[in-house]
Amino acid sequence: MPGWEAQNEDKRPPAFYEAGYYAGYFDITTGDFVRRVLRAFIPYRSIIDEDVSNDDQNAEPDLYSTFWMTTTLVLLLSMSSNLAAFFKSLATPDPSSATLVSLDNLALAAAILYPYVLLAPLSLFVLRLCTPVRVALADSLCVYGYALAPVVVAVAVCAVPVRLVQLSAMAVGCGLSVVAVMVNVWRTQEADSKGVAYLAKIVSGALHGVLGAALTFLFFLR
């Protein structure tokens, strides 16, 4: 049947530049998403399950968090910083000078976070090419996405225009995020690459801490 043959010829695996190639990375259940977010807040276990004994759990990385957690953080940074500035301006002698919306903060947040969430995992992937450890790039992208969850909550709290509240929230949120990154960036440690693994964890944690400090200063302290 020519029609049947033509139909099956079309069912080829999608190429990497086609949307269908990435569809599987966004196929995640609510249970897996919640579980991975909670593990970012309590980072003593791997965000991605390595040994899955429960059929309801997924051992594959997803890119859902990489996109949506980063996008949520970009939007919240803009909203919270604008709201905090607005509330502060209400306490000034001239409340009419208050402004609520600044697209500069939105552009700045996007310019910082999107490149970071892509380049940091890519750097780890390139580093792993020099070791016996072979981990997919999607694994690191997934980890960095979920590791932003504590920062998302901290930034939401920073809408309160009190310096101590903002500093405390960002310190706790970014601290949890740093630990989540260090626990998850290099889970598999071969005997001959432990030194590289520890170095990668330290450098990744330090860079993530710098990111948290930069976000705190740029959006809530200056």
Side-chain angles (χ1 to χ4, degrees):
M1 296 177 61
W4 182 88
E5 293 176 356
Q7 183 179 4
N8 281 270
E9 287 177 357
D10 293 337
K11 292 183 178 180
R12 58 175 177 78
F16 73 93
Y17 53 82
E18 296 177 333
Y21 181 85
Y22 302 95
Y25 290 109
F26 290 86
D27 184 16
I28 181 172
T29 65
T30 302
D32 283 328
F33 177 76
V34 172
R35 184 180 304 107
R36 292 175 177 183
V37 168
L38 290 177
R39 289 182 181 179
F41 280 93
I42 310 174
Y44 70 95
R45 292 184 57 186
S46 298
I47 290 175
I48 303 173
D49 292 292
E50 296 176 348
D51 298 321
V52 179
S53 57
N54 190 336
D55 292 338
D56 294 333
Q57 297 181 11
N58 183 10
E60 298 299 324
D62 69 87
L63 299 182
Y64 184 88
S65 65
T66 310
F67 176 77
W68 285 113
M69 202 70 74
T70 306
T71 300
T72 301
L73 184 54
V74 166
L75 295 174
L76 272 178
L77 278 168
S78 178
M79 293 172 58
S80 291
S81 58
N82 285 326
L83 282 172
F86 174 71
F87 292 143
K88 284 182 181 179
S89 67
L90 293 179
T92 62
D94 184 16
S96 62
S97 63
T99 57
L100 179 59
V101 178
S102 173
L103 294 180
D104 292 342
N105 286 343
L106 181 64
L108 179 61
I112 293 173
L113 286 169
Y114 286 119
Y116 174 79
V117 170
L118 291 175
L119 293 178
L122 182 61
S123 300
L124 285 171
F125 177 74
V126 173
L127 181 61
R128 285 193 180 104
L129 295 179
C130 304
T131 71
V133 180
R134 292 293 181 266
V135 180
L137 176 60
D139 188 280
S140 295
L141 288 169
C142 177
V143 165
Y144 271 86
Y146 283 104
L148 292 178
V151 186
V152 168
V153 175
V155 168
V157 174
C158 287
V160 178
V162 178
R163 185 63 56 84
L164 180 60
V165 172
Q166 293 173 336
L167 288 175
S168 300
M170 291 300 288
V172 174
C174 294
L176 289 174
S177 186
V178 166
V179 175
V181 166
M182 295 182 69
V183 168
N184 286 275
V185 291
W186 205 298
R187 300 190 307 276
T188 304
Q189 298 182 18
E190 298 291 338
D192 56 351
S193 62
K194 281 189 175 182
V196 178
Y198 290 133
L199 178 62
K201 287 176 178 290
I202 293 171
V203 173
S204 298
L207 290 177
H208 210 64
V210 170
L211 172 70
L215 295 180
T216 304
F217 173 76
L218 292 173
F219 292 93
F220 303 109
L221 297 185
R222 42 168 203 167

